[in-house]
Amino acid sequence: MAAAATVASSLPPIPGTRSRNSSFFSPTSVATTSSTCSSCRKVGLRMPCSAMVQQAVQGAPAAYAKEMERLSAKESLLLAFKDAGGFEALVTGKLTEVQQIDVNERITGLERLNPTPRPTTSPYLEGRWNFEWFGAGSPGLFAARLLFQRFPSDLANFSNMDVVIKEGKARATANMKLLYSIESTVTLSSQLTVEGPLRMKEEYIEGILETPKVIEEAVPEQLKGVLGQAISTVQQLPVPIRDLIAGGLRIPLTGTFQRLFLISYLDEEILIMRDAAGVPEVLTRLEAPALAIPEVVSEYES
């Protein structure tokens, strides 16, 4: 009997039971475990691997912390735009070097937290976006500053720029107001081609200088006579010419200008792009597409 007891005490506990010296789980607790590691299965143990349990416990808090970091970086960037003076300060060149480097630092910080691995084919890309920031050397910033250099701020006001992206096409619009009473709009249409998960090509199709619209109640008294004469002169023009003026000045651009750019960040609210020279452009969403478009992975053009 003593020998038998000695042998029994030297045997390992039977799986599915719990002895005083065993840390094994009962069959009931094992049944609640969805998976086991491969090394545990090889030795016939029906119990969770400690590494897997630790990973499951730590995974959710880590993902939550990263998401909170991303949201904080977004808010920080938007506040930096506001502190720098917004769109008007950007296009008039009133930004200081400290403000510029601060915004660029926050742009870089948000880009590393990009939640969209394939932004060029993401449904988030479509919709109406407002330009918040042009980096130094951006064509949009160059055009805006050229406008303000030619016209004093009390005569011309460059209110905003936005772009509508839909079905592989982009339509950028710049709105300008002259003498606080004449609204003028310049529109640039382009074709977008997906060339990779991050890279796209933009080919300009047409530029349109729309006919200025007059806000009569906002026209200064000293200009009302001149404005009335101009309107009367236009009305006396032949009908074909009047129709041409009403339709705006169209400038064909097919085959003339194109550019490559990368989408370095995209979510439901912010879009960040960089051109071939690495100059950033930051846009914020104004309107989402009417219908959610499922993400399509298309073949990229080389």
mmCIF file of all heavy atoms in Angstrom, residues 81-82 84-95 130-134 141 144-145 148 152-154 156-161 180:
data_model
loop_
_atom_site.group_PDB
_atom_site.id
_atom_site.type_symbol
_atom_site.label_atom_id
_atom_site.label_comp_id
_atom_site.label_asym_id
_atom_site.label_seq_id
_atom_site.Cartn_x
_atom_site.Cartn_y
_atom_site.Cartn_z
ATOM 1 N N PHE A 81 -4.454 75.584 -36.463
ATOM 2 C CA PHE A 81 -4.963 76.391 -37.579
ATOM 3 C C PHE A 81 -5.620 77.667 -37.058
ATOM 4 O O PHE A 81 -5.385 78.773 -37.555
ATOM 5 C CB PHE A 81 -5.992 75.605 -38.397
ATOM 6 C CG PHE A 81 -5.401 74.476 -39.197
ATOM 7 C CD1 PHE A 81 -6.149 73.348 -39.489
ATOM 8 C CD2 PHE A 81 -4.103 74.541 -39.670
ATOM 9 C CE1 PHE A 81 -5.619 72.312 -40.227
ATOM 10 C CE2 PHE A 81 -3.563 73.510 -40.413
ATOM 11 C CZ PHE A 81 -4.322 72.388 -40.692
ATOM 12 N N LYS A 82 -6.457 77.504 -36.055
ATOM 13 C CA LYS A 82 -7.193 78.648 -35.495
ATOM 14 C C LYS A 82 -6.246 79.650 -34.849
ATOM 15 O O LYS A 82 -6.379 80.867 -35.051
ATOM 16 C CB LYS A 82 -8.213 78.140 -34.474
ATOM 17 C CG LYS A 82 -9.107 79.229 -33.906
ATOM 18 C CD LYS A 82 -10.141 78.639 -32.962
ATOM 19 C CE LYS A 82 -11.038 79.737 -32.386
ATOM 20 N NZ LYS A 82 -12.058 79.187 -31.464
ATOM 21 N N ALA A 84 -3.219 80.186 -35.593
ATOM 22 C CA ALA A 84 -2.382 80.825 -36.607
ATOM 23 C C ALA A 84 -3.128 81.888 -37.414
ATOM 24 O O ALA A 84 -2.514 82.607 -38.199
ATOM 25 C CB ALA A 84 -1.808 79.773 -37.550
ATOM 26 N N GLY A 85 -4.446 81.972 -37.234
ATOM 27 C CA GLY A 85 -5.206 82.989 -37.956
ATOM 28 C C GLY A 85 -6.083 82.455 -39.061
ATOM 29 O O GLY A 85 -6.752 83.231 -39.751
ATOM 30 N N GLY A 86 -6.058 81.135 -39.272
ATOM 31 C CA GLY A 86 -6.958 80.528 -40.247
ATOM 32 C C GLY A 86 -6.556 80.775 -41.690
ATOM 33 O O GLY A 86 -5.420 81.173 -42.006
ATOM 34 N N PHE A 87 -7.519 80.588 -42.564
ATOM 35 C CA PHE A 87 -7.288 80.644 -44.009
ATOM 36 C C PHE A 87 -6.821 82.028 -44.447
ATOM 37 O O PHE A 87 -5.927 82.167 -45.285
ATOM 38 C CB PHE A 87 -8.566 80.249 -44.734
ATOM 39 C CG PHE A 87 -8.437 80.175 -46.227
ATOM 40 C CD1 PHE A 87 -7.901 79.047 -46.831
ATOM 41 C CD2 PHE A 87 -8.840 81.229 -47.030
ATOM 42 C CE1 PHE A 87 -7.768 78.975 -48.214
ATOM 43 C CE2 PHE A 87 -8.720 81.158 -48.407
ATOM 44 C CZ PHE A 87 -8.182 80.031 -48.993
ATOM 45 N N GLU A 88 -7.413 83.075 -43.884
ATOM 46 C CA GLU A 88 -7.061 84.434 -44.306
ATOM 47 C C GLU A 88 -5.607 84.757 -43.997
ATOM 48 O O GLU A 88 -4.894 85.338 -44.827
ATOM 49 C CB GLU A 88 -7.985 85.441 -43.613
ATOM 50 C CG GLU A 88 -7.717 86.878 -44.047
ATOM 51 C CD GLU A 88 -8.677 87.863 -43.410
ATOM 52 O OE1 GLU A 88 -9.619 87.417 -42.720
ATOM 53 O OE2 GLU A 88 -8.476 89.081 -43.597
ATOM 54 N N ALA A 89 -5.151 84.378 -42.795
ATOM 55 C CA ALA A 89 -3.752 84.639 -42.444
ATOM 56 C C ALA A 89 -2.808 83.856 -43.340
ATOM 57 O O ALA A 89 -1.717 84.317 -43.677
ATOM 58 C CB ALA A 89 -3.514 84.278 -40.981
ATOM 59 N N LEU A 90 -3.239 82.661 -43.756
ATOM 60 C CA LEU A 90 -2.407 81.829 -44.607
ATOM 61 C C LEU A 90 -2.197 82.463 -45.978
ATOM 62 O O LEU A 90 -1.074 82.580 -46.467
ATOM 63 C CB LEU A 90 -3.038 80.445 -44.750
ATOM 64 C CG LEU A 90 -2.351 79.456 -45.681
ATOM 65 C CD1 LEU A 90 -0.984 79.079 -45.142
ATOM 66 C CD2 LEU A 90 -3.206 78.207 -45.864
ATOM 67 N N VAL A 91 -3.297 82.883 -46.618
ATOM 68 C CA VAL A 91 -3.191 83.391 -47.992
ATOM 69 C C VAL A 91 -2.655 84.814 -48.042
ATOM 70 O O VAL A 91 -2.127 85.244 -49.077
ATOM 71 C CB VAL A 91 -4.563 83.314 -48.703
ATOM 72 C CG1 VAL A 91 -5.027 81.884 -48.805
ATOM 73 C CG2 VAL A 91 -5.602 84.167 -47.987
ATOM 74 N N THR A 92 -2.766 85.569 -46.951
ATOM 75 C CA THR A 92 -2.231 86.924 -46.950
ATOM 76 C C THR A 92 -0.783 86.971 -46.499
ATOM 77 O O THR A 92 -0.160 88.037 -46.509
ATOM 78 C CB THR A 92 -3.076 87.835 -46.036
ATOM 79 O OG1 THR A 92 -3.158 87.259 -44.728
ATOM 80 C CG2 THR A 92 -4.468 88.014 -46.599
ATOM 81 N N GLY A 93 -0.218 85.823 -46.074
ATOM 82 C CA GLY A 93 1.173 85.776 -45.685
ATOM 83 C C GLY A 93 1.454 86.376 -44.325
ATOM 84 O O GLY A 93 2.574 86.827 -44.053
ATOM 85 N N LYS A 94 0.466 86.369 -43.431
ATOM 86 C CA LYS A 94 0.630 86.963 -42.100
ATOM 87 C C LYS A 94 1.097 85.953 -41.054
ATOM 88 O O LYS A 94 1.149 86.263 -39.874
ATOM 89 C CB LYS A 94 -0.684 87.597 -41.654
ATOM 90 C CG LYS A 94 -1.125 88.773 -42.517
ATOM 91 C CD LYS A 94 -2.433 89.360 -42.022
ATOM 92 C CE LYS A 94 -2.860 90.537 -42.884
ATOM 93 N NZ LYS A 94 -4.157 91.114 -42.419
ATOM 94 N N LEU A 95 1.405 84.736 -41.464
ATOM 95 C CA LEU A 95 1.858 83.720 -40.521
ATOM 96 C C LEU A 95 3.312 83.964 -40.118
ATOM 97 O O LEU A 95 4.141 84.354 -40.949
ATOM 98 C CB LEU A 95 1.741 82.325 -41.139
ATOM 99 C CG LEU A 95 0.333 81.794 -41.418
ATOM 100 C CD1 LEU A 95 0.421 80.477 -42.149
ATOM 101 C CD2 LEU A 95 -0.434 81.615 -40.116
ATOM 102 N N ASN A 130 -12.964 71.312 -47.557
ATOM 103 C CA ASN A 130 -12.546 72.708 -47.474
ATOM 104 C C ASN A 130 -11.031 72.779 -47.238
ATOM 105 O O ASN A 130 -10.491 72.087 -46.380
ATOM 106 C CB ASN A 130 -13.276 73.413 -46.332
ATOM 107 C CG ASN A 130 -12.910 74.882 -46.247
ATOM 108 O OD1 ASN A 130 -13.114 75.638 -47.186
ATOM 109 N ND2 ASN A 130 -12.360 75.297 -45.120
ATOM 110 N N PHE A 131 -10.338 73.618 -48.004
ATOM 111 C CA PHE A 131 -8.896 73.782 -47.830
ATOM 112 C C PHE A 131 -8.616 74.585 -46.568
ATOM 113 O O PHE A 131 -9.102 75.705 -46.407
ATOM 114 C CB PHE A 131 -8.279 74.498 -49.039
ATOM 115 C CG PHE A 131 -8.127 73.629 -50.250
ATOM 116 C CD1 PHE A 131 -9.122 73.561 -51.214
ATOM 117 C CD2 PHE A 131 -6.977 72.875 -50.431
ATOM 118 C CE1 PHE A 131 -8.983 72.754 -52.324
ATOM 119 C CE2 PHE A 131 -6.817 72.076 -51.544
ATOM 120 C CZ PHE A 131 -7.831 72.003 -52.494
ATOM 121 N N GLU A 132 -7.822 73.998 -45.673
ATOM 122 C CA GLU A 132 -7.449 74.658 -44.426
ATOM 123 C C GLU A 132 -5.996 75.140 -44.442
ATOM 124 O O GLU A 132 -5.665 76.133 -43.797
ATOM 125 C CB GLU A 132 -7.637 73.699 -43.244
ATOM 126 C CG GLU A 132 -9.062 73.267 -42.995
ATOM 127 C CD GLU A 132 -9.896 74.330 -42.317
ATOM 128 O OE1 GLU A 132 -9.335 75.378 -41.928
ATOM 129 O OE2 GLU A 132 -11.112 74.123 -42.168
ATOM 130 N N TRP A 133 -5.162 74.423 -45.193
ATOM 131 C CA TRP A 133 -3.725 74.719 -45.120
ATOM 132 C C TRP A 133 -3.040 74.375 -46.425
ATOM 133 O O TRP A 133 -3.271 73.323 -47.008
ATOM 134 C CB TRP A 133 -3.081 73.929 -43.979
ATOM 135 C CG TRP A 133 -1.619 74.168 -43.799
ATOM 136 C CD1 TRP A 133 -0.592 73.409 -44.302
ATOM 137 C CD2 TRP A 133 -1.006 75.227 -43.069
ATOM 138 N NE1 TRP A 133 0.611 73.926 -43.918
ATOM 139 C CE2 TRP A 133 0.391 75.050 -43.154
ATOM 140 C CE3 TRP A 133 -1.511 76.307 -42.329
ATOM 141 C CZ2 TRP A 133 1.283 75.920 -42.545
ATOM 142 C CZ3 TRP A 133 -0.610 77.171 -41.720
ATOM 143 C CH2 TRP A 133 0.763 76.962 -41.844
ATOM 144 N N PHE A 134 -2.200 75.307 -46.906
ATOM 145 C CA PHE A 134 -1.305 75.056 -48.033
ATOM 146 C C PHE A 134 0.116 75.184 -47.519
ATOM 147 O O PHE A 134 0.440 76.155 -46.832
ATOM 148 C CB PHE A 134 -1.492 76.071 -49.162
ATOM 149 C CG PHE A 134 -2.875 76.131 -49.736
ATOM 150 C CD1 PHE A 134 -3.762 77.118 -49.343
ATOM 151 C CD2 PHE A 134 -3.290 75.197 -50.661
ATOM 152 C CE1 PHE A 134 -5.023 77.181 -49.877
ATOM 153 C CE2 PHE A 134 -4.557 75.252 -51.194
ATOM 154 C CZ PHE A 134 -5.431 76.252 -50.809
ATOM 155 N N LEU A 141 -1.598 78.080 -52.794
ATOM 156 C CA LEU A 141 -1.136 79.197 -51.977
ATOM 157 C C LEU A 141 -0.508 80.275 -52.845
ATOM 158 O O LEU A 141 -0.700 81.477 -52.609
ATOM 159 C CB LEU A 141 -0.121 78.696 -50.954
ATOM 160 C CG LEU A 141 0.452 79.752 -50.010
ATOM 161 C CD1 LEU A 141 -0.646 80.397 -49.194
ATOM 162 C CD2 LEU A 141 1.501 79.133 -49.085
ATOM 163 N N ALA A 144 -3.338 82.262 -54.520
ATOM 164 C CA ALA A 144 -4.052 83.098 -53.563
ATOM 165 C C ALA A 144 -3.233 84.329 -53.180
ATOM 166 O O ALA A 144 -3.758 85.448 -53.125
ATOM 167 C CB ALA A 144 -4.400 82.276 -52.321
ATOM 168 N N ARG A 145 -1.950 84.133 -52.925
ATOM 169 C CA ARG A 145 -1.118 85.270 -52.545
ATOM 170 C C ARG A 145 -0.922 86.234 -53.705
ATOM 171 O O ARG A 145 -0.816 87.455 -53.506
ATOM 172 C CB ARG A 145 0.230 84.768 -52.022
ATOM 173 C CG ARG A 145 0.117 84.128 -50.639
ATOM 174 C CD ARG A 145 1.456 83.738 -50.072
ATOM 175 N NE ARG A 145 1.317 83.238 -48.714
ATOM 176 C CZ ARG A 145 2.311 82.750 -47.991
ATOM 177 N NH1 ARG A 145 3.539 82.694 -48.517
ATOM 178 N NH2 ARG A 145 2.095 82.320 -46.766
ATOM 179 N N PHE A 148 -3.876 88.550 -53.721
ATOM 180 C CA PHE A 148 -3.855 89.576 -52.691
ATOM 181 C C PHE A 148 -2.772 90.618 -52.933
ATOM 182 O O PHE A 148 -2.874 91.750 -52.462
ATOM 183 C CB PHE A 148 -3.660 88.929 -51.312
ATOM 184 C CG PHE A 148 -4.945 88.482 -50.694
ATOM 185 C CD1 PHE A 148 -5.419 87.196 -50.906
ATOM 186 C CD2 PHE A 148 -5.703 89.344 -49.932
ATOM 187 C CE1 PHE A 148 -6.611 86.781 -50.343
ATOM 188 C CE2 PHE A 148 -6.894 88.942 -49.362
ATOM 189 C CZ PHE A 148 -7.354 87.658 -49.568
ATOM 190 N N PRO A 152 -5.790 95.264 -53.225
ATOM 191 C CA PRO A 152 -5.779 95.573 -51.790
ATOM 192 C C PRO A 152 -6.872 94.797 -51.066
ATOM 193 O O PRO A 152 -7.895 94.447 -51.651
ATOM 194 C CB PRO A 152 -6.057 97.085 -51.751
ATOM 195 C CG PRO A 152 -5.702 97.582 -53.121
ATOM 196 C CD PRO A 152 -5.995 96.451 -54.061
ATOM 197 N N SER A 153 -6.642 94.530 -49.774
ATOM 198 C CA SER A 153 -7.591 93.726 -49.010
ATOM 199 C C SER A 153 -8.957 94.377 -48.895
ATOM 200 O O SER A 153 -9.964 93.690 -48.702
ATOM 201 C CB SER A 153 -7.027 93.460 -47.609
ATOM 202 O OG SER A 153 -6.763 94.692 -46.940
ATOM 203 N N ASP A 154 -9.032 95.737 -49.010
ATOM 204 C CA ASP A 154 -10.330 96.393 -48.918
ATOM 205 C C ASP A 154 -11.087 96.345 -50.237
ATOM 206 O O ASP A 154 -12.257 96.741 -50.311
ATOM 207 C CB ASP A 154 -10.174 97.841 -48.465
ATOM 208 C CG ASP A 154 -9.231 98.624 -49.371
ATOM 209 O OD1 ASP A 154 -8.490 97.983 -50.144
ATOM 210 O OD2 ASP A 154 -9.227 99.864 -49.302
ATOM 211 N N ALA A 156 -10.572 93.354 -52.510
ATOM 212 C CA ALA A 156 -10.773 91.939 -52.827
ATOM 213 C C ALA A 156 -10.658 91.097 -51.568
ATOM 214 O O ALA A 156 -9.787 91.329 -50.736
ATOM 215 C CB ALA A 156 -9.756 91.471 -53.867
ATOM 216 N N ASN A 157 -11.542 90.124 -51.453
ATOM 217 C CA ASN A 157 -11.531 89.228 -50.305
ATOM 218 C C ASN A 157 -11.633 87.796 -50.812
ATOM 219 O O ASN A 157 -12.633 87.419 -51.429
ATOM 220 C CB ASN A 157 -12.709 89.552 -49.379
ATOM 221 C CG ASN A 157 -12.757 88.623 -48.188
ATOM 222 O OD1 ASN A 157 -11.749 88.019 -47.810
ATOM 223 N ND2 ASN A 157 -13.925 88.490 -47.590
ATOM 224 N N PHE A 158 -10.584 87.027 -50.578
ATOM 225 C CA PHE A 158 -10.548 85.629 -51.008
ATOM 226 C C PHE A 158 -11.154 84.797 -49.890
ATOM 227 O O PHE A 158 -10.489 84.442 -48.925
ATOM 228 C CB PHE A 158 -9.101 85.237 -51.273
ATOM 229 C CG PHE A 158 -8.939 83.988 -52.083
ATOM 230 C CD1 PHE A 158 -9.969 83.474 -52.852
ATOM 231 C CD2 PHE A 158 -7.731 83.320 -52.081
ATOM 232 C CE1 PHE A 158 -9.803 82.327 -53.595
ATOM 233 C CE2 PHE A 158 -7.539 82.172 -52.825
ATOM 234 C CZ PHE A 158 -8.582 81.681 -53.584
ATOM 235 N N SER A 159 -12.448 84.489 -49.975
ATOM 236 C CA SER A 159 -13.181 83.946 -48.836
ATOM 237 C C SER A 159 -12.830 82.497 -48.523
ATOM 238 O O SER A 159 -12.555 82.153 -47.375
ATOM 239 C CB SER A 159 -14.694 84.080 -49.065
ATOM 240 O OG SER A 159 -15.078 83.434 -50.271
ATOM 241 N N ASN A 160 -12.816 81.612 -49.515
ATOM 242 C CA ASN A 160 -12.532 80.206 -49.222
ATOM 243 C C ASN A 160 -12.254 79.436 -50.509
ATOM 244 O O ASN A 160 -12.525 79.917 -51.611
ATOM 245 C CB ASN A 160 -13.707 79.558 -48.483
ATOM 246 C CG ASN A 160 -14.911 79.371 -49.396
ATOM 247 O OD1 ASN A 160 -15.544 80.334 -49.825
ATOM 248 N ND2 ASN A 160 -15.241 78.127 -49.692
ATOM 249 N N MET A 161 -11.695 78.234 -50.330
ATOM 250 C CA MET A 161 -11.487 77.296 -51.428
ATOM 251 C C MET A 161 -11.965 75.920 -50.973
ATOM 252 O O MET A 161 -11.713 75.514 -49.837
ATOM 253 C CB MET A 161 -10.005 77.220 -51.811
ATOM 254 C CG MET A 161 -9.468 78.447 -52.512
ATOM 255 S SD MET A 161 -7.716 78.241 -52.976
ATOM 256 C CE MET A 161 -7.837 76.895 -54.145
ATOM 257 N N TYR A 180 -16.821 93.978 -51.742
ATOM 258 C CA TYR A 180 -17.852 93.449 -50.845
ATOM 259 C C TYR A 180 -19.225 93.306 -51.507
ATOM 260 O O TYR A 180 -20.227 93.094 -50.832
ATOM 261 C CB TYR A 180 -18.002 94.362 -49.604
ATOM 262 C CG TYR A 180 -16.729 94.517 -48.837
ATOM 263 C CD1 TYR A 180 -15.944 95.654 -49.001
ATOM 264 C CD2 TYR A 180 -16.297 93.537 -47.962
ATOM 265 C CE1 TYR A 180 -14.751 95.813 -48.305
ATOM 266 C CE2 TYR A 180 -15.097 93.679 -47.246
ATOM 267 C CZ TYR A 180 -14.333 94.822 -47.431
ATOM 268 O OH TYR A 180 -13.160 94.969 -46.741
#
